[in-house]
Amino acid sequence: MTQKVIIAGFGGQGVILAGKLLAYTGMVEGKNVSHIPSYGVEMRGGTANCAVIISDQEIASPLVVHPTSLIVLNKPSLLKFEDSVTPSGRILVNESLIDREVKRKDVVVLYVPANKIAEEAGNGRSSNMVMIGAWLAVTGLFSQKTIKESLPRVVSKRNLRYNEINERAIDMGYEYAKNAG
Amino acid sequence: MTQKVIIAGFGGQGVILAGKLLAYTGMVEGKNVSHIPSYGVEMRGGTANCAVIISDQEIASPLVVHPTSLIVLNKPSLLKFEDSVTPSGRILVNESLIDREVKRKDVVVLYVPANKIAEEAGNGRSSNMVMIGAWLAVTGLFSQKTIKESLPRVVSKRNLRYNEINERAIDMGYEYAKNAG
Amino acid sequence: MKDPERVVIAKECCKGCELCIDACPRGVLEMSEEINSSGYHYSVFANKKDCNSCTLCAVICPDMCIEVYK
Amino acid sequence: MKDPERVVIAKECCKGCELCIDACPRGVLEMSEEINSSGYHYSVFANKKDCNSCTLCAVICPDMCIEVYK
Amino acid sequence: MKAVYERPRTLRDTPMHYCPGCGHSIIHKLLSQSIDELGIRERTIVVAPVGCSVLIYNYLDCDGSEAAHGRAQAVATGLKRARPECVVVSYQGDGDLAAIGTAETIHAANRGEKFSVIFVNNAIYGMTGGQMAPTTLAGQPTKTTPFGRDPKEIGPPLRMCELLSGLEAPAYIERVSVHDVKNVLRTKKAIKKALKNQIEGAGYSFVEVLSMCPTNWGMTTRQASSWIEENMIPYYPLGVYKDRGKERNAK
Amino acid sequence: MKAVYERPRTLRDTPMHYCPGCGHSIIHKLLSQSIDELGIRERTIVVAPVGCSVLIYNYLDCDGSEAAHGRAQAVATGLKRARPECVVVSYQGDGDLAAIGTAETIHAANRGEKFSVIFVNNAIYGMTGGQMAPTTLAGQPTKTTPFGRDPKEIGPPLRMCELLSGLEAPAYIERVSVHDVKNVLRTKKAIKKALKNQIEGAGYSFVEVLSMCPTNWGMTTRQASSWIEENMIPYYPLGVYKDRGKERNAK
Amino acid sequence: MGEKVLMRGNEALCESAIIAGCRFYFGYPITPQNEVPAYMARRLPEVNGCFLQAESELSAINMVWGASVAGKRVMTSSSSPGISLMQEGISYLAGAELPAVIVNIMRGGPGLGSIGPSQSDYFQATRGGGHGDYRTIVLAPQSVQEIADIMIDAFDLADIYRNPVVVLGDGVIGQMTEPLVLPKPSTRTLPRNDWVLDGASGRDARVVMSLRLSPPGALETHNLHLKEKFCEMERNEVRYEEYELSDAQLVIVAFGTAARVARTCMQKARGLGMKVGLLRPVTLWPFCADALGALAEQRRVKAFLTVEMNLGQMLEDVRLAVLGRKDIFFYGRTGGSVPDEDELFGKITEVFS
Amino acid sequence: MGEKVLMRGNEALCESAIIAGCRFYFGYPITPQNEVPAYMARRLPEVNGCFLQAESELSAINMVWGASVAGKRVMTSSSSPGISLMQEGISYLAGAELPAVIVNIMRGGPGLGSIGPSQSDYFQATRGGGHGDYRTIVLAPQSVQEIADIMIDAFDLADIYRNPVVVLGDGVIGQMTEPLVLPKPSTRTLPRNDWVLDGASGRDARVVMSLRLSPPGALETHNLHLKEKFCEMERNEVRYEEYELSDAQLVIVAFGTAARVARTCMQKARGLGMKVGLLRPVTLWPFCADALGALAEQRRVKAFLTVEMNLGQMLEDVRLAVLGRKDIFFYGRTGGSVPDEDELFGKITEVFS
Ligand SMILES: Cc1ncc(C[n+]2csc(CCOP(=O)(O)OP(=O)(O)O)c2C)c(N)n1
Ligand SMILES: Cc1ncc(C[n+]2csc(CCOP(=O)(O)OP(=O)(O)O)c2C)c(N)n1
Ligand code: SF4
Ligand code: SF4
Ligand code: SF4
Ligand code: SF4
Ligand code: SF4
Ligand code: SF4
Ligand SMILES: [Mg+2]
Ligand SMILES: [Mg+2]
């Protein structure tokens, strides 16, 4: 098993954190993991993304050229990464902010109204967690439980107070995806 | 004909200038010339020296390892360079400041009371010119005339006023050497 | 022909900093409920009739989103 | 045993800067006619009887050539 | 109806990459307006710093030269001496001008180089993500002063206007702010004056602008604006520190 | 008879390479005496500059560290923070401290680093053969200002005491001179005080010493001494620019 | 073995430095290594160390001199342009034989370039970007675990040879998060610090300097002494890793992130029956020239392929090792771009066809 | 041919720069090149130029950027430690494609070292001591005449390739006085300066920079463009001189002052029947690898002897050119010492026996 995930969105959407959550959970589950944030050419106000690998094998290259899963939180990210997804891979689209359909026909697509769900969960900023929940549902890689246990280990102290909302967002994303699927 | 001259003394004794005078005169006379001041390890208060080559042939290495003539104005310089002189080369010693005899037996030595003669010429500081005059006398390489014509071309404007004294010092050094020889 | 607006705000250019809101001495401007395609709530020319085209909102707008007419 | 001098000047160490000459309030010191082995005229404890060991010559001597006794 | 507030000619119609409420954007606009009003766009050269405003030449429609971090005033010196007919503006952040570029700043000022400096003091390293700047306030937390800047350990914030006004050569030194409209208007005047000085050959002109960095201060724009008012201005008093033109006129 | 003036313990019995009448030699002696009198030879570390005094550690019998040109105060910062129990002295020329080392000087001073600086202002680059220093006087000819320093082109001489006393952190700033006996004695006091401050943990102490460079000024020692009196002191007034100890006591 | 933790390369190297006993850090912010000063600013005070943000990289490297001369373990870090500013200081440290660890998390150059990951300071690091005859040991980690382990080694090597040591990571290594087990402190016995400045109490005064003016030839003598040290490093400190070289016909040579991408491609190629191996230099200087030379001698080795995140810098060292005995191919990406698996695989196929 | 004058190397290079149209000089004093700023301070005002003593070498190289960006011919000079301080600036100039001439009159290193003559900045100059993928043309004169001639070339090359050019002389070249004929201004046609900043009047605004952030890959594209320029330089600008190579069995490779000492020894050896020749690189980068490679191919050539005033830096380039085909010997003096005729001659005899 080797999962290569790219999570991408605006600077403030918490994509790096979402990636770190996956990596941490993978580590706890005894997998090999790696996580690389984009920090390269992007400037303030541009897009941010990160590449996560979770694998049973040793990870040689930590760079992700062809993700098995792509999670996109805004439109520029979809445009940028759509073509790179491995055939029969997955694309999870935040349809709250992306008014465009995925063109690729050889991939599995799931549209999630992440911002809307996040607002319902209690904070519009937890759309990243909604997407993580949805991804869990479609891949079944980890349990909701382990990922929620990892959560407090990757968020900053200051943001621990949002823990409950984040957990709810994960659950609601999970449920949405299960029902949609 | 290849003359390799090292002129050495204290910092203030004008050895660099003396070397430049030789080089300039050599150039005017159609020779190939080179001049390298020591500027290396010496510090203030240390010794200064320069290496001059005057030759009919093209000058490959401008560095002088074995001078054909050594002109020393103070004692440390004699100690430093005595051994390097080429066999049957010449050593000209400023005996006003050097109370030591040349040990080498295979070289031609001339002792010149340069400071004393310089005082007589009108300025104790022209001992360098006295030595140049003496060197001219023993090598016969240039005429007193050409060297005196070169003089104003190598001294700084500020020091042009000493021209007459310098010329006199050259003449007196020349005479001294002629008579001594 | 309808009279053009005194204040024209480029919605897509607005970053929602709210400096214009504070700068307007007449409380004309308000923040939108919606977000623009960059994800920002944006400034809206709301209480139009109170505007006297004093330009202060435009003066402070960091992103040159506001043009004022008189 | 002759009384040692009040001022002892290390001739070979002197660089002939003449600062001590100017520093002495009693005109005790003078420059030599001769030069030392470094080629400098050097300071000489000349008018010895006028010296009161005030140390000022030594205080200014850059090269620590002067020792003063009292 | 006629437009009474429009984009200045010199400010390109391009979205800027700055964060919401960033002072740089306002200052770019004021600089552009000043250039327009003085009619010098065609002979202005902006020396761009390393810092958040490293892309200033994407926004200003006039010639621009990069400078290595801290070296903007060395570059401006070479440039102005080579092209005295041009109007040279060195635009720098507080890290750029007051940390790594300290020597270049002091010496350009002391030589009285005949260019204009716009010094954006946002009390932080914006571009690199919020480290301490020489101008970071006492107690202010940053990435490299996580417990707040401790003046006992690393000294108090550096006041550049005060420091430079000890020098003879500078013609004009003023500190302004862009945290509210009133001050934005004053800043505009100061920048314009700095350029005008240069056109008239008056010599080194230095405008320090207190500027918001909401992102790295961890504040909303509004909080940032109040923070300047309540914390920065008391330590960095606004006003003219030096004006040789005034002195000259007074005499 | 008993010796009333002898070589201080810390000053090695070695001939110094300095030119006749060079101020460095006098200052070395005063520093040695101060170290002796305070009994700190065994815990003093002198940071040697690049400049004519680059060999100071040949003359002072205490620990010594080289520093790259201009970086003495950065070295001293690292050293003092690593060895707070030692007495660290940064000994620097005017080229070293006020040109290439400007940033290091301003920032060490502003941080209030707890070491002592001896700043030898001889208005010239001695070691490299007489080029303009930041402190070269207006009109003074040097190798790189052959027609005399022109303040209109390259600014007036930089006054470091004045500049630094604008900063909050420094504990003590004084300017003295070694051009005659009276002033040599005052210089001794100032140097000793700078060291004493450090022992007491008072913070950054800075002593500027006006010093002769007869060789590169093209003067006899006597002329050099008068030149300090008549030309340097009027521009570089002697005296205490800052003394936090005094302030503290006064309060 | 200790507990696995998840850390970013830039933070792991800090924690490891602290384990190695480093208590002094002087540095200046620059992307992509800003996590280093941030981490040190938080952690060093907790261990009674001293973090100081210098006014510039120039000051930082000279503060490093100051703490080093005091006998303390000290480090700095920066990225390419900042490291260029330290070249004078590094040359001074080498000249004065002062230990120090300098971390360069490389970005794209020349000039301001970009902040993308890069390996284009290879020449600067391995040839001495500063003036004069000197070398620095250069360690090139490929993972978060390795950058942590390497820091322990780096401080030891600096002390053993009294020479600056450069840890050369590309931006990916610094920014990447991976699980690691934090290393244990070293147990090596180190040479006595009989040169440290702490006041001439009960001993003769000491001087630490790089200037050698007298007697004449003093600097040459010193340089020859340094040279001997460098030769010793060449004899003792070459480190590299081999992957599937026993039957390789094509030998890839790559370090850092490039080596990891190369390994993925190697595996893929092996899957298709191409006999590809990888030699990964861990020390870039001293370089594993002997190992490469021995491979070049083997009949079965047909060619070498150097992979770098630059325009071909290590390539020169590979050429010097192979000395014309076999073909050498090159695949490089530059300016902040990373090697592309597909492209590199294409290159391998090409070589085999 | 003009009149012969007697000048010091440091002064001849200045006068020649002025003949080449250089009107801007920014620099900072350092031995052994202090005659350069002193000369420029006197002469530039006479030709309406601008001499400015910078507050440091760092400022100097960035002032050079300022005048260069303005389209003026500009130079700086320094010696080894000062050149190390300029590495960031040189990398920036190369990245932004700005012409400039940088003179390095080398002294002994590392660190403060000594002020004796040296060639130990060879690596720094030829490999790019700064960060990133870039090169500078490096010209190495051997005499006062040649340093004067080379300055004319240097300014042209800088303009043609829009790249910094380094003139690398050792302390002897700078300090030596020899007769020379001052060169004539160049008559080459140079590319149009369509990038110069002089105000956006009647044209679009221009920007000169080394930063390339967007689009993604912009820096890589730029670096590949630079690489093409560097390849062009390698094709067109290799300069070297041959001495008695037609029948040589031993080929000495040496530049600058070392080459002159080598020539004396070569003559002496020839006098005794040893077939010695000399190849003297004038450009150190691009390096005359082809010429050396061709010699290595010749059966009669038995060996090479590299002579340098360092511990063996050009030696690497010789090895890269010879690629193991022939033995390579080395004779070097370092730390401010010059090659000794007797020693070198001994070495030659040794090789022949
Ligand atoms: C030599 C060098 N060191 C460090 C950096 C990284 N760097 C870029 S901008 C910057 C400071 C930014 O702060 P400031 O000058 O205050 O500008 P701001 O972003 O706050 O406007 C730093 C440290 C660099 N580019 N070059
Ligand atoms: C980086 C660098 N630049 C330049 C020099 C050359 N240099 C040595 S000392 C010195 C200045 C000397 O002047 P100052 O600091 O005033 O000391 P002084 O000799 O007058 O006492 C210079 C420029 C150097 N050693 N290193
Ligand atoms: S123009 Fe004046 S009144 Fe109108 S919205 Fe703007 S600030 Fe308010
Ligand atoms: S000031 Fe400008 S950017 Fe800010 S909210 Fe108002 S319109 Fe939007
Ligand atoms: S001790 Fe005083 S009185 Fe005696 S010589 Fe010296 S200065 Fe003059
Ligand atoms: S002060 Fe000292 S060096 Fe100067 S003349 Fe007097 S004794 Fe000699
Ligand atoms: S980080 Fe700060 S200075 Fe930079 S763009 Fe954002 S608000 Fe402005
Ligand atoms: S050159 Fe000047 S500073 Fe240097 S030793 Fe001589 S007098 Fe002193
Ligand atoms: Mg800032
Ligand atoms: Mg000085």
Side-chain angles (χ1 to χ4, degrees), chain G residues 18-346:
Chain G
I18 290 169
I19 294 170
C22 171
R23 290 295 176 274
F24 291 85
Y25 174 95
F26 305 100
Y28 189 81
I30 186 168
T31 309
Q33 62 81 57
N34 287 316
E35 295 78 15
V36 179
Y39 194 92
M40 287 307 207
R42 249 186 305 115
R43 276 289 279 140
L44 278 176
E46 293 175 8
V47 293
N48 283 319
C50 168
F51 164 86
L52 191 64
Q53 182 175 321
E55 57 272 19
S56 71
E57 291 87 353
L58 223 65
S59 297
I61 193 70
N62 287 289
M63 290 174 182
V64 165
W65 169 301
S68 176
V69 107
K72 308 292 184 177
R73 283 200 156 176
V74 55
M75 68 173 282
T76 186
S77 64
S78 187
S79 178
S80 312
I83 298 289
S84 287
L85 287 175
M86 295 184 184
Q87 291 306 317
E88 187 205 29
I90 296 173
S91 171
Y92 266 75
L93 289 166
E97 301 191 83
L98 284 175
V101 174
I102 298 144
V103 177
N104 179 3
I105 303 296
M106 292 174 281
R107 57 191 251 176
L112 195 48
S114 82
I115 56 175
S118 166
Q119 300 180 327
S120 58
D121 305 346
Y122 181 95
F123 274 145
Q124 185 189 58
T126 59
R127 298 297 189 280
H131 59 286
D133 279 312
Y134 76 95
R135 298 284 192 168
T136 53
I137 294 181
V138 183
L139 299 163
Q142 67 164 347
S143 67
V144 174
Q145 181 69 61
E146 195 177 32
I147 202 169
D149 295 342
I150 265 180
M151 290 304 287
I152 305 283
D153 208 19
F155 279 99
D156 278 3
L157 291 172
D159 281 348
I160 290 170
Y161 294 102
R162 290 182 56 190
N163 204 65
V165 171
V166 174
V167 175
L168 198 71
D170 53 72
V172 171
I173 307 287
Q175 289 300 320
M176 177 166 51
T177 298
E178 284 184 324
L180 82 157
V181 179
L182 282 167
K184 297 243 172 329
S186 142
T187 52
R188 260 194 277 219
T189 37
L190 298 172
R192 274 179 52 230
N193 280 358
D194 53 5
W195 49 270
V196 160
L197 303 191
D198 52 2
S201 171
R203 58 161 173 78
D204 283 350
R206 291 173 182 160
V207 180
V208 176
M209 53 165 193
S210 69
L211 180 72
R212 313 269 157 172
L213 283 184
S214 58
L219 182 60
E220 183 164 40
T221 309
H222 180 62
N223 279 349
L224 292 170
H225 156 68
L226 293 182
K227 189 185 171 138
E228 253 171 50
K229 275 195 341 191
F230 300 141
C231 289
E232 211 182 311
M233 296 177 201
E234 283 182 317
R235 278 193 304 273
N236 302 337
E237 309 302 347
V238 173
R239 295 166 181 35
Y240 58 92
E241 235 179 43
E242 301 181 337
Y243 304 85
E244 318 229 19
L245 280 179
S246 57
D247 65 343
Q249 295 175 334
L250 173 66
V251 177
I252 301 183
V253 190
F255 65 99
T257 294
R260 291 186 66 169
V261 177
R263 246 164 79 208
T264 292
C265 295
M266 174 187 82
Q267 287 158 1
K268 198 163 155 194
R270 286 242 161 217
L272 295 173
M274 293 179 258
K275 295 199 169 151
V276 183
L278 170 69
L279 192 141
R280 177 174 72 88
V282 176
T283 51
L284 302 182
W285 192 91
F287 190 71
C288 49
D290 290 346
L292 278 172
L295 286 166
E297 282 295 324
Q298 306 232 7
R299 179 101 53 86
R300 76 172 144 77
V301 172
K302 304 289 178 234
F304 293 81
L305 170 58
T306 306
V307 181
E308 297 180 74
M309 285 151 69
N310 61 46
L311 286 171
Q313 299 191 11
M314 181 176 65
L315 183 55
E316 266 190 23
D317 280 327
V318 175
R319 282 202 190 120
L320 278 168
V322 172
L323 279 180
R325 284 170 287 187
K326 297 287 156 66
D327 280 345
I328 304 173
F329 297 88
F330 177 72
Y331 169 69
R333 295 296 301 267
T334 177
S337 297
V338 287
D340 183 287
E341 270 173 47
D342 301 344
E343 277 180 18
L344 176 54
F345 183 72

Side-chain angles (χ1 to χ4, degrees), chain E residues 63-66 71 83 111, chain H residues 55 65 70 203 206 208 210:
Chain E
D63 278 5
S65 169
E66 183 178 281
R71 319 301 165 197
R83 294 242 172 246
R111 285 191 303 264
Chain H
E55 57 272 20
W65 169 301
R203 58 161 173 81
R206 290 173 182 160
V208 175
S210 68

Side-chain angles (χ1 to χ4, degrees), chain H residues 40-63:
Chain H
M40 287 306 209
R42 248 186 306 117
R43 275 290 278 141
L44 278 176
E46 293 174 8
V47 294
N48 282 320
C50 168
F51 164 87
L52 191 64
Q53 183 175 320
E55 57 272 20
S56 71
E57 290 87 352
L58 224 65
S59 297
I61 193 71
N62 288 289
M63 290 174 181

Side-chain angles (χ1 to χ4, degrees), chain A residues 4 16 20 23-24 27 31-37 39-42 58-63 65-66 153-154, chain G residues 4-6 8 31-32 115-117 171-172 175-179 257 260-261 263-264 267 338-342:
Chain A
K4 301 186 181 185
I16 310 293
K20 225 171 155 193
Y24 191 90
M27 179 181 79
K31 311 282 186 205
N32 293 306
V33 300
S34 69
H35 172 277
I36 304 181
Y39 70 94
V41 292
E42 342 289 320
E58 201 198 341
I59 296 168
S61 172
L63 303 172
V65 187
H66 301 299
R153 311 295 303 267
V154 296
Chain G
K4 268 207 175 166
V5 290
L6 192 69
R8 203 180 260 223
T31 309
I115 56 175
V172 171
Q175 289 300 320
M176 177 166 51
T177 298
E178 284 184 324
T257 294
R260 291 186 66 169
V261 177
R263 246 164 79 208
T264 292
Q267 287 158 1
V338 287
D340 183 287
E341 270 173 47
D342 301 344

Side-chain angles (χ1 to χ4, degrees), chain A residues 31-156:
Chain A
K31 311 282 186 205
N32 293 306
V33 300
S34 69
H35 172 277
I36 304 181
S38 72
Y39 70 94
V41 292
E42 342 289 320
M43 291 287 294
R44 311 207 156 278
T47 58
N49 70 73
C50 67
V52 178
I53 301 184
I54 305 165
S55 179
D56 294 327
Q57 286 102 46
E58 201 198 341
I59 296 168
S61 172
L63 303 172
V64 173
V65 187
H66 301 299
T68 54
S69 295
L70 171 67
I71 304 175
V72 282
L73 281 93
N74 71 352
K75 191 164 148 187
S77 300
L78 176 59
L79 300 179
K80 184 169 173 185
F81 291 108
E82 176 172 351
D83 286 343
S84 68
V85 178
T86 201
S88 78
R90 289 174 201 285
I91 304 187
L92 280 74
V93 178
N94 173 11
E95 71 176 352
S96 300
L97 293 183
I98 304 176
D99 58 1
R100 180 182 171 283
E101 299 229 324
V102 174
K103 298 242 168 82
R104 288 272 296 270
K105 299 289 169 227
D106 57 345
V107 294
V108 184
V109 183
L110 178 70
Y111 296 93
V112 184
N115 285 58
K116 196 166 139 271
I117 298 176
E119 299 273 7
E120 285 166 26
N123 186 342
R125 305 191 118 223
S126 60
S127 57
N128 54 347
M129 294 298 141
V130 174
M131 296 304 276
I132 290 296
W135 182 83
L136 266 194
V138 296
T139 60
L141 200 60
F142 315 125
S143 72
Q144 278 155 284
K145 183 162 163 290
T146 18
I147 216 157
K148 283 194 276 185
E149 279 167 10
S150 299
L151 194 53
R153 311 295 303 267
V154 296
V155 302
S156 67

